[in-house]
Amino acid sequence: MEIDLGANAFGIDFHPSKKLVAAGLIDGQLHLYRYDTESSLVRERKVRAHKESCRAVRFIDDGQRIVTASADCSILATDVETGASVLRLENAHEDAVNTLITVTETTIASGDDKGCVKIWDTRQRSCSHEFNVHEDYISDMTFASDTMKLVATSGDGTLSVCNLRTSKVQAQSEFSEDELLSVVIMKNGRKAICGTQNGILMLYSWGFFKDCSDRFVDLSPNSVDVLLKLDEDRLITGCDNGIISLVGILPNRIIQPIGSHEFPIEDLALSHDNKFLGSTAHDSMLKLWDLEEIIEGSNGNASGAAEDSDSDNDGMDLDNDPKPSKGSKRKTKSKANPVDNRAFFADM
């Protein structure tokens, strides 16, 4: 299934229970499409959400609302049924908002082009935490719910771990000499995987974030702009050559190609039943891939026989004086955790 959106889409997300997919476009529009198994995508709604590009899209409140983040520094909540604006944070950040994820049932996180990460209390509709550890744009974020730690990657070439319980930056990696563009947590919380501009996947052991414990180079030299976790052993990569691949982690290997666009991949998302993979790229196309059909007959889950030998110690290596070098700015979007955010903008 595919459809021409008429403009490049920076962010996509699937409804948590219905056959709906949302896309945020470079012109500030929010599009909502219904999909089915008969190879068709039908637009349900088009909303002028932002004055500038819509960079991130997330369904929340059991799919009743969509939250979008924009280059115009605003964050907006839109009603799915009516398309009406529920609440707009006009100056959520001082600079363009680049990433947005749900954190808990009552909090979301946003990251901007200056390296600032903000945590929003959706009950109070106010910023509860602010972290300014990075020197360049926040490229991606993910959340470890069991430890209440937010992991962020940046164009400055570093990864940071922010503790939401203590409101402190608990760790920061050394400068990687390359932009970190994407991040997921895998192996039951023991590994953080980062995609880089030079195409190398960097594997960090949880609790030891100074430097990576392993590198996977088979995707190089194509930058890994997007990472999407499929399960604890497999992830999906989107690269600037337009190729989407299924990759196994520990043992590290490219399992198989999934699909492709003619231009660099912007975002990837999974449907609520994991049947469809959605992808957007610089070609203005929204494509839905039948993931079950594509990976049928593949090797399945990555073998657990080759376990990594790194310590599973939960301790953090604290970086008391991080001095990352500044990297060039690259607008790469994020993926969010599938967390139900029931309280977001409630009772409006």
Side-chain angles (χ1 to χ4, degrees):
M1 276 182 278
E2 63 181 51
I3 193 168
D4 190 340
L5 300 172
N8 290 347
F10 284 150
I12 56 170
D13 196 28
F14 284 90
H15 192 280
S17 60
K18 298 179 181 179
K19 292 184 177 181
L20 296 172
V21 59
L25 276 58
I26 192 173
D27 58 6
Q29 298 277 355
L30 170 65
H31 287 195
L32 184 65
Y33 292 88
R34 184 172 298 276
Y35 63 93
D36 56 33
T37 57
E38 302 300 322
S39 300
S40 66
L41 276 162
V42 179
R43 192 170 70 192
E44 294 275 303
R45 184 163 289 105
K46 180 172 72 171
V47 177
R48 176 67 178 180
H50 298 278
K51 299 175 183 177
E52 298 182 38
S53 60
C54 181
R55 294 184 176 180
V57 178
R58 301 289 169 251
F59 279 98
I60 45 84
D61 288 355
D62 286 329
Q64 297 180 59
R65 297 180 174 97
I66 303 173
V67 180
T68 52
S70 173
D72 65 13
C73 305
S74 71
I75 296 175
L76 172 70
T78 301
D79 186 271
V80 170
E81 292 297 324
T82 66
S85 173
V86 178
L87 184 68
R88 183 187 298 272
L89 300 174
E90 199 65 57
N91 295 298
H93 283 255
E94 294 182 1
D95 211 318
V97 187
N98 199 44
T99 60
L100 181 72
I101 66 169
T102 50
V103 176
T104 71
E105 292 184 354
T106 58
T107 52
I108 62 171
S110 55
D112 68 24
D113 276 0
K114 284 188 176 179
C116 175
V117 173
K118 290 187 176 184
I119 310 299
W120 300 90
D121 186 323
T122 57
R123 295 163 298 184
Q124 301 296 323
R125 297 162 192 165
S126 62
C127 179
S128 59
H129 304 73
E130 182 173 333
F131 302 98
N132 291 285
V133 63
H134 292 287
E135 295 186 357
D136 210 332
Y137 71 101
I138 303 299
S139 57
D140 201 5
M141 296 184 291
T142 189
F143 182 65
S145 58
D146 55 338
T147 59
M148 291 295 291
K149 293 181 174 66
L150 183 79
V151 180
T153 53
S154 171
D156 65 14
T158 68
L159 170 150
S160 67
V161 181
C162 300
N163 190 326
L164 302 194
R165 289 196 178 105
T166 63
S167 300
K168 294 181 179 180
V169 177
Q170 191 147 358
Q172 186 174 18
S173 70
E174 295 178 349
F175 176 57
S176 66
E177 299 182 357
D178 196 9
E179 296 181 19
L180 301 186
L181 304 178
S182 46
V183 60
V184 293
I185 297 173
M186 298 179 65
K187 294 294 182 179
N188 299 304
R190 294 188 296 112
K191 291 291 180 179
I193 319 298
C194 295
T196 68
Q197 190 176 19
N198 64 15
I200 296 174
L201 292 183
M202 301 178 67
L203 283 64
Y204 290 85
S205 295
W206 190 262
F208 300 90
F209 292 104
K210 286 286 186 180
D211 197 5
C212 65
S213 59
D214 196 7
R215 295 169 183 259
F216 178 56
V217 301
D218 289 12
L219 296 167
S220 182
N222 303 296
S223 69
V224 184
D225 296 345
V226 191
L227 291 178
L228 180 64
K229 178 179 175 180
L230 182 60
D231 54 37
E232 296 302 327
D233 301 306
R234 296 176 297 173
L235 54 78
I236 299 170
T237 62
C239 296
D240 68 351
N241 62 354
I243 302 297
I244 304 168
S245 303
L246 181 64
V247 174
I249 297 297
L250 296 174
N252 303 329
R253 70 192 193 281
I254 297 177
I255 298 174
Q256 68 178 93
I258 291 177
S260 66
H261 288 255
E262 294 183 6
F263 295 96
I265 304 299
E266 273 290 350
D267 204 6
L268 300 170
L270 287 171
S271 62
H272 67 276
D273 55 3
N274 280 9
K275 178 175 176 56
F276 290 103
L277 169 69
S279 63
T280 59
H282 291 192
D283 55 10
S284 303
M285 299 300 295
L286 168 61
K287 296 186 179 185
L288 267 58
W289 310 90
D290 190 329
L291 194 59
E292 290 182 344
E293 181 178 297
I294 290 172
I295 66 176
E296 185 178 359
S298 73
N299 293 331
N301 287 341
S303 170
E307 291 293 333
D308 63 284
S309 59
D310 295 311
S311 171
D312 294 333
N313 193 316
D314 289 331
M316 287 287 185
D317 53 336
L318 300 182
D319 193 347
N320 295 323
D321 188 25
K323 296 180 180 179
S325 299
K326 186 162 182 143
S328 62
K329 187 168 292 185
R330 179 190 177 99
K331 300 298 181 294
T332 308
K333 309 302 160 285
S334 71
K335 261 65 37 230
N337 295 343
V339 178
D340 179 17
N341 193 350
R342 302 176 191 275
F344 196 58
F345 299 138
D347 303 324
M348 286 296 293

PDB file of all heavy atoms in Angstrom, residues 54-83:
ATOM      1  N   CYS A  54       5.863  19.968  10.514  1.00  0.00           N
ATOM      2  CA  CYS A  54       5.435  19.084  11.590  1.00  0.00           C
ATOM      3  C   CYS A  54       6.423  17.920  11.654  1.00  0.00           C
ATOM      4  O   CYS A  54       6.452  17.088  10.753  1.00  0.00           O
ATOM      5  CB  CYS A  54       4.012  18.586  11.323  1.00  0.00           C
ATOM      6  SG  CYS A  54       3.355  17.514  12.595  1.00  0.00           S
ATOM      7  N   ARG A  55       7.223  17.875  12.700  1.00  0.00           N
ATOM      8  CA  ARG A  55       8.356  16.956  12.735  1.00  0.00           C
ATOM      9  C   ARG A  55       8.099  15.650  13.480  1.00  0.00           C
ATOM     10  O   ARG A  55       8.849  14.684  13.308  1.00  0.00           O
ATOM     11  CB  ARG A  55       9.571  17.652  13.358  1.00  0.00           C
ATOM     12  CG  ARG A  55      10.104  18.792  12.513  1.00  0.00           C
ATOM     13  CD  ARG A  55      11.351  19.349  13.150  1.00  0.00           C
ATOM     14  NE  ARG A  55      11.979  20.393  12.327  1.00  0.00           N
ATOM     15  CZ  ARG A  55      13.075  21.038  12.673  1.00  0.00           C
ATOM     16  NH1 ARG A  55      13.670  20.749  13.813  1.00  0.00           N
ATOM     17  NH2 ARG A  55      13.574  21.968  11.887  1.00  0.00           N
ATOM     18  N   ALA A  56       7.107  15.613  14.354  1.00  0.00           N
ATOM     19  CA  ALA A  56       6.849  14.396  15.130  1.00  0.00           C
ATOM     20  C   ALA A  56       5.352  14.252  15.356  1.00  0.00           C
ATOM     21  O   ALA A  56       4.648  15.245  15.556  1.00  0.00           O
ATOM     22  CB  ALA A  56       7.596  14.432  16.457  1.00  0.00           C
ATOM     23  N   VAL A  57       4.870  12.998  15.334  1.00  0.00           N
ATOM     24  CA  VAL A  57       3.439  12.697  15.471  1.00  0.00           C
ATOM     25  C   VAL A  57       3.274  11.519  16.421  1.00  0.00           C
ATOM     26  O   VAL A  57       3.946  10.492  16.246  1.00  0.00           O
ATOM     27  CB  VAL A  57       2.817  12.341  14.108  1.00  0.00           C
ATOM     28  CG1 VAL A  57       1.351  11.976  14.273  1.00  0.00           C
ATOM     29  CG2 VAL A  57       2.969  13.483  13.122  1.00  0.00           C
ATOM     30  N   ARG A  58       2.359  11.638  17.404  1.00  0.00           N
ATOM     31  CA  ARG A  58       2.094  10.541  18.327  1.00  0.00           C
ATOM     32  C   ARG A  58       0.612  10.465  18.681  1.00  0.00           C
ATOM     33  O   ARG A  58       0.010  11.475  19.061  1.00  0.00           O
ATOM     34  CB  ARG A  58       2.899  10.712  19.632  1.00  0.00           C
ATOM     35  CG  ARG A  58       4.395  10.769  19.443  1.00  0.00           C
ATOM     36  CD  ARG A  58       4.975   9.424  19.046  1.00  0.00           C
ATOM     37  NE  ARG A  58       6.364   9.576  18.615  1.00  0.00           N
ATOM     38  CZ  ARG A  58       6.773   9.445  17.374  1.00  0.00           C
ATOM     39  NH1 ARG A  58       5.908   9.198  16.412  1.00  0.00           N
ATOM     40  NH2 ARG A  58       8.054   9.567  17.065  1.00  0.00           N
ATOM     41  N   PHE A  59       0.032   9.267  18.579  1.00  0.00           N
ATOM     42  CA  PHE A  59      -1.308   9.032  19.117  1.00  0.00           C
ATOM     43  C   PHE A  59      -1.196   8.876  20.629  1.00  0.00           C
ATOM     44  O   PHE A  59      -0.285   8.212  21.133  1.00  0.00           O
ATOM     45  CB  PHE A  59      -1.895   7.743  18.543  1.00  0.00           C
ATOM     46  CG  PHE A  59      -2.488   7.890  17.170  1.00  0.00           C
ATOM     47  CD1 PHE A  59      -1.759   7.531  16.051  1.00  0.00           C
ATOM     48  CD2 PHE A  59      -3.785   8.361  17.005  1.00  0.00           C
ATOM     49  CE1 PHE A  59      -2.303   7.652  14.779  1.00  0.00           C
ATOM     50  CE2 PHE A  59      -4.338   8.485  15.731  1.00  0.00           C
ATOM     51  CZ  PHE A  59      -3.602   8.128  14.620  1.00  0.00           C
ATOM     52  N   ILE A  60      -2.131   9.469  21.365  1.00  0.00           N
ATOM     53  CA  ILE A  60      -2.172   9.319  22.824  1.00  0.00           C
ATOM     54  C   ILE A  60      -3.639   9.182  23.268  1.00  0.00           C
ATOM     55  O   ILE A  60      -4.545   9.183  22.439  1.00  0.00           O
ATOM     56  CB  ILE A  60      -1.464  10.490  23.546  1.00  0.00           C
ATOM     57  CG1 ILE A  60      -1.864  11.849  22.950  1.00  0.00           C
ATOM     58  CG2 ILE A  60       0.044  10.348  23.411  1.00  0.00           C
ATOM     59  CD1 ILE A  60      -3.115  12.400  23.479  1.00  0.00           C
ATOM     60  N   ASP A  61      -3.847   9.043  24.576  1.00  0.00           N
ATOM     61  CA  ASP A  61      -5.197   8.910  25.138  1.00  0.00           C
ATOM     62  C   ASP A  61      -5.986   7.792  24.470  1.00  0.00           C
ATOM     63  O   ASP A  61      -7.129   7.984  24.022  1.00  0.00           O
ATOM     64  CB  ASP A  61      -5.975  10.230  25.004  1.00  0.00           C
ATOM     65  CG  ASP A  61      -5.479  11.302  25.951  1.00  0.00           C
ATOM     66  OD1 ASP A  61      -4.601  11.006  26.768  1.00  0.00           O
ATOM     67  OD2 ASP A  61      -5.972  12.428  25.856  1.00  0.00           O
ATOM     68  N   ASP A  62      -5.389   6.597  24.387  1.00  0.00           N
ATOM     69  CA  ASP A  62      -6.037   5.462  23.724  1.00  0.00           C
ATOM     70  C   ASP A  62      -6.419   5.781  22.284  1.00  0.00           C
ATOM     71  O   ASP A  62      -7.396   5.235  21.754  1.00  0.00           O
ATOM     72  CB  ASP A  62      -7.283   5.021  24.497  1.00  0.00           C
ATOM     73  CG  ASP A  62      -6.943   4.280  25.775  1.00  0.00           C
ATOM     74  OD1 ASP A  62      -5.897   3.607  25.796  1.00  0.00           O
ATOM     75  OD2 ASP A  62      -7.707   4.365  26.744  1.00  0.00           O
ATOM     76  N   GLY A  63      -5.687   6.660  21.643  1.00  0.00           N
ATOM     77  CA  GLY A  63      -5.956   7.002  20.256  1.00  0.00           C
ATOM     78  C   GLY A  63      -6.999   8.081  20.066  1.00  0.00           C
ATOM     79  O   GLY A  63      -7.394   8.363  18.929  1.00  0.00           O
ATOM     80  N   GLN A  64      -7.435   8.721  21.141  1.00  0.00           N
ATOM     81  CA  GLN A  64      -8.438   9.779  21.015  1.00  0.00           C
ATOM     82  C   GLN A  64      -7.840  11.075  20.511  1.00  0.00           C
ATOM     83  O   GLN A  64      -8.553  11.902  19.929  1.00  0.00           O
ATOM     84  CB  GLN A  64      -9.108  10.018  22.371  1.00  0.00           C
ATOM     85  CG  GLN A  64      -9.885   8.832  22.912  1.00  0.00           C
ATOM     86  CD  GLN A  64     -10.517   9.147  24.246  1.00  0.00           C
ATOM     87  OE1 GLN A  64     -11.324  10.073  24.385  1.00  0.00           O
ATOM     88  NE2 GLN A  64     -10.137   8.391  25.267  1.00  0.00           N
ATOM     89  N   ARG A  65      -6.541  11.278  20.738  1.00  0.00           N
ATOM     90  CA  ARG A  65      -5.884  12.518  20.345  1.00  0.00           C
ATOM     91  C   ARG A  65      -4.543  12.231  19.699  1.00  0.00           C
ATOM     92  O   ARG A  65      -3.939  11.184  19.904  1.00  0.00           O
ATOM     93  CB  ARG A  65      -5.721  13.440  21.550  1.00  0.00           C
ATOM     94  CG  ARG A  65      -7.064  13.873  22.157  1.00  0.00           C
ATOM     95  CD  ARG A  65      -6.862  14.793  23.346  1.00  0.00           C
ATOM     96  NE  ARG A  65      -8.146  15.288  23.816  1.00  0.00           N
ATOM     97  CZ  ARG A  65      -8.840  14.770  24.821  1.00  0.00           C
ATOM     98  NH1 ARG A  65      -8.367  13.718  25.467  1.00  0.00           N
ATOM     99  NH2 ARG A  65      -9.988  15.276  25.194  1.00  0.00           N
ATOM    100  N   ILE A  66      -4.101  13.200  18.920  1.00  0.00           N
ATOM    101  CA  ILE A  66      -2.786  13.141  18.294  1.00  0.00           C
ATOM    102  C   ILE A  66      -1.983  14.342  18.768  1.00  0.00           C
ATOM    103  O   ILE A  66      -2.476  15.476  18.743  1.00  0.00           O
ATOM    104  CB  ILE A  66      -2.884  13.179  16.756  1.00  0.00           C
ATOM    105  CG1 ILE A  66      -3.758  12.042  16.230  1.00  0.00           C
ATOM    106  CG2 ILE A  66      -1.493  13.098  16.130  1.00  0.00           C
ATOM    107  CD1 ILE A  66      -4.026  12.147  14.737  1.00  0.00           C
ATOM    108  N   VAL A  67      -0.748  14.099  19.196  1.00  0.00           N
ATOM    109  CA  VAL A  67       0.156  15.182  19.591  1.00  0.00           C
ATOM    110  C   VAL A  67       1.202  15.355  18.497  1.00  0.00           C
ATOM    111  O   VAL A  67       1.770  14.385  18.006  1.00  0.00           O
ATOM    112  CB  VAL A  67       0.837  14.876  20.936  1.00  0.00           C
ATOM    113  CG1 VAL A  67       1.765  16.023  21.329  1.00  0.00           C
ATOM    114  CG2 VAL A  67      -0.191  14.657  22.019  1.00  0.00           C
ATOM    115  N   THR A  68       1.429  16.603  18.115  1.00  0.00           N
ATOM    116  CA  THR A  68       2.431  16.916  17.093  1.00  0.00           C
ATOM    117  C   THR A  68       3.403  17.967  17.614  1.00  0.00           C
ATOM    118  O   THR A  68       3.043  18.803  18.447  1.00  0.00           O
ATOM    119  CB  THR A  68       1.763  17.430  15.807  1.00  0.00           C
ATOM    120  OG1 THR A  68       0.871  18.517  16.130  1.00  0.00           O
ATOM    121  CG2 THR A  68       0.962  16.336  15.127  1.00  0.00           C
ATOM    122  N   ALA A  69       4.627  17.902  17.109  1.00  0.00           N
ATOM    123  CA  ALA A  69       5.655  18.878  17.465  1.00  0.00           C
ATOM    124  C   ALA A  69       6.191  19.504  16.188  1.00  0.00           C
ATOM    125  O   ALA A  69       6.271  18.845  15.150  1.00  0.00           O
ATOM    126  CB  ALA A  69       6.784  18.218  18.239  1.00  0.00           C
ATOM    127  N   SER A  70       6.587  20.774  16.270  1.00  0.00           N
ATOM    128  CA  SER A  70       6.877  21.514  15.040  1.00  0.00           C
ATOM    129  C   SER A  70       8.132  22.366  15.120  1.00  0.00           C
ATOM    130  O   SER A  70       8.612  22.725  16.202  1.00  0.00           O
ATOM    131  CB  SER A  70       5.681  22.413  14.706  1.00  0.00           C
ATOM    132  OG  SER A  70       5.956  23.279  13.631  1.00  0.00           O
ATOM    133  N   ALA A  71       8.614  22.720  13.944  1.00  0.00           N
ATOM    134  CA  ALA A  71       9.716  23.660  13.823  1.00  0.00           C
ATOM    135  C   ALA A  71       9.316  25.061  14.273  1.00  0.00           C
ATOM    136  O   ALA A  71      10.180  25.909  14.490  1.00  0.00           O
ATOM    137  CB  ALA A  71      10.217  23.704  12.382  1.00  0.00           C
ATOM    138  N   ASP A  72       8.007  25.322  14.407  1.00  0.00           N
ATOM    139  CA  ASP A  72       7.564  26.633  14.884  1.00  0.00           C
ATOM    140  C   ASP A  72       7.592  26.739  16.409  1.00  0.00           C
ATOM    141  O   ASP A  72       7.045  27.679  16.979  1.00  0.00           O
ATOM    142  CB  ASP A  72       6.171  26.969  14.346  1.00  0.00           C
ATOM    143  CG  ASP A  72       5.078  26.025  14.859  1.00  0.00           C
ATOM    144  OD1 ASP A  72       5.324  25.257  15.817  1.00  0.00           O
ATOM    145  OD2 ASP A  72       3.967  26.048  14.290  1.00  0.00           O
ATOM    146  N   CYS A  73       8.238  25.739  17.067  1.00  0.00           N
ATOM    147  CA  CYS A  73       8.450  25.706  18.525  1.00  0.00           C
ATOM    148  C   CYS A  73       7.210  25.297  19.315  1.00  0.00           C
ATOM    149  O   CYS A  73       7.222  25.339  20.548  1.00  0.00           O
ATOM    150  CB  CYS A  73       8.960  27.048  19.056  1.00  0.00           C
ATOM    151  SG  CYS A  73      10.458  27.643  18.250  1.00  0.00           S
ATOM    152  N   SER A  74       6.143  24.905  18.653  1.00  0.00           N
ATOM    153  CA  SER A  74       4.901  24.571  19.346  1.00  0.00           C
ATOM    154  C   SER A  74       4.668  23.070  19.426  1.00  0.00           C
ATOM    155  O   SER A  74       5.227  22.288  18.654  1.00  0.00           O
ATOM    156  CB  SER A  74       3.708  25.228  18.647  1.00  0.00           C
ATOM    157  OG  SER A  74       3.455  24.611  17.396  1.00  0.00           O
ATOM    158  N   ILE A  75       3.826  22.679  20.396  1.00  0.00           N
ATOM    159  CA  ILE A  75       3.320  21.318  20.534  1.00  0.00           C
ATOM    160  C   ILE A  75       1.803  21.408  20.561  1.00  0.00           C
ATOM    161  O   ILE A  75       1.234  22.231  21.283  1.00  0.00           O
ATOM    162  CB  ILE A  75       3.845  20.644  21.820  1.00  0.00           C
ATOM    163  CG1 ILE A  75       5.365  20.483  21.754  1.00  0.00           C
ATOM    164  CG2 ILE A  75       3.179  19.288  22.035  1.00  0.00           C
ATOM    165  CD1 ILE A  75       5.984  19.946  23.039  1.00  0.00           C
ATOM    166  N   LEU A  76       1.128  20.574  19.764  1.00  0.00           N
ATOM    167  CA  LEU A  76      -0.321  20.656  19.599  1.00  0.00           C
ATOM    168  C   LEU A  76      -0.974  19.312  19.869  1.00  0.00           C
ATOM    169  O   LEU A  76      -0.449  18.269  19.475  1.00  0.00           O
ATOM    170  CB  LEU A  76      -0.659  21.099  18.173  1.00  0.00           C
ATOM    171  CG  LEU A  76      -2.139  21.056  17.752  1.00  0.00           C
ATOM    172  CD1 LEU A  76      -2.945  22.124  18.481  1.00  0.00           C
ATOM    173  CD2 LEU A  76      -2.264  21.215  16.243  1.00  0.00           C
ATOM    174  N   ALA A  77      -2.129  19.330  20.540  1.00  0.00           N
ATOM    175  CA  ALA A  77      -2.964  18.138  20.703  1.00  0.00           C
ATOM    176  C   ALA A  77      -4.218  18.329  19.863  1.00  0.00           C
ATOM    177  O   ALA A  77      -4.908  19.339  19.979  1.00  0.00           O
ATOM    178  CB  ALA A  77      -3.334  17.931  22.166  1.00  0.00           C
ATOM    179  N   THR A  78      -4.508  17.344  18.992  1.00  0.00           N
ATOM    180  CA  THR A  78      -5.643  17.405  18.078  1.00  0.00           C
ATOM    181  C   THR A  78      -6.590  16.241  18.330  1.00  0.00           C
ATOM    182  O   THR A  78      -6.138  15.098  18.512  1.00  0.00           O
ATOM    183  CB  THR A  78      -5.153  17.352  16.615  1.00  0.00           C
ATOM    184  OG1 THR A  78      -4.272  18.459  16.371  1.00  0.00           O
ATOM    185  CG2 THR A  78      -6.314  17.414  15.644  1.00  0.00           C
ATOM    186  N   ASP A  79      -7.884  16.505  18.337  1.00  0.00           N
ATOM    187  CA  ASP A  79      -8.885  15.463  18.505  1.00  0.00           C
ATOM    188  C   ASP A  79      -8.974  14.616  17.237  1.00  0.00           C
ATOM    189  O   ASP A  79      -9.129  15.146  16.135  1.00  0.00           O
ATOM    190  CB  ASP A  79     -10.246  16.082  18.820  1.00  0.00           C
ATOM    191  CG  ASP A  79     -11.289  15.039  19.157  1.00  0.00           C
ATOM    192  OD1 ASP A  79     -11.959  14.554  18.220  1.00  0.00           O
ATOM    193  OD2 ASP A  79     -11.449  14.704  20.342  1.00  0.00           O
ATOM    194  N   VAL A  80      -8.872  13.299  17.382  1.00  0.00           N
ATOM    195  CA  VAL A  80      -8.857  12.408  16.224  1.00  0.00           C
ATOM    196  C   VAL A  80     -10.198  12.409  15.502  1.00  0.00           C
ATOM    197  O   VAL A  80     -10.252  12.411  14.264  1.00  0.00           O
ATOM    198  CB  VAL A  80      -8.476  10.975  16.654  1.00  0.00           C
ATOM    199  CG1 VAL A  80      -8.696   9.982  15.514  1.00  0.00           C
ATOM    200  CG2 VAL A  80      -7.026  10.928  17.122  1.00  0.00           C
ATOM    201  N   GLU A  81     -11.305  12.423  16.237  1.00  0.00           N
ATOM    202  CA  GLU A  81     -12.625  12.326  15.630  1.00  0.00           C
ATOM    203  C   GLU A  81     -13.038  13.597  14.892  1.00  0.00           C
ATOM    204  O   GLU A  81     -13.637  13.537  13.820  1.00  0.00           O
ATOM    205  CB  GLU A  81     -13.669  11.995  16.705  1.00  0.00           C
ATOM    206  CG  GLU A  81     -13.531  10.604  17.289  1.00  0.00           C
ATOM    207  CD  GLU A  81     -13.750   9.513  16.240  1.00  0.00           C
ATOM    208  OE1 GLU A  81     -14.601   9.705  15.351  1.00  0.00           O
ATOM    209  OE2 GLU A  81     -13.058   8.482  16.309  1.00  0.00           O
ATOM    210  N   THR A  82     -12.707  14.748  15.452  1.00  0.00           N
ATOM    211  CA  THR A  82     -13.196  16.006  14.884  1.00  0.00           C
ATOM    212  C   THR A  82     -12.119  16.814  14.169  1.00  0.00           C
ATOM    213  O   THR A  82     -12.437  17.686  13.352  1.00  0.00           O
ATOM    214  CB  THR A  82     -13.803  16.888  15.986  1.00  0.00           C
ATOM    215  OG1 THR A  82     -12.760  17.285  16.899  1.00  0.00           O
ATOM    216  CG2 THR A  82     -14.892  16.130  16.746  1.00  0.00           C
ATOM    217  N   GLY A  83     -10.855  16.570  14.483  1.00  0.00           N
ATOM    218  CA  GLY A  83      -9.780  17.371  13.929  1.00  0.00           C
ATOM    219  C   GLY A  83      -9.608  18.705  14.623  1.00  0.00           C
ATOM    220  O   GLY A  83      -8.788  19.533  14.202  1.00  0.00           O
TER     221      GLY A  83
END
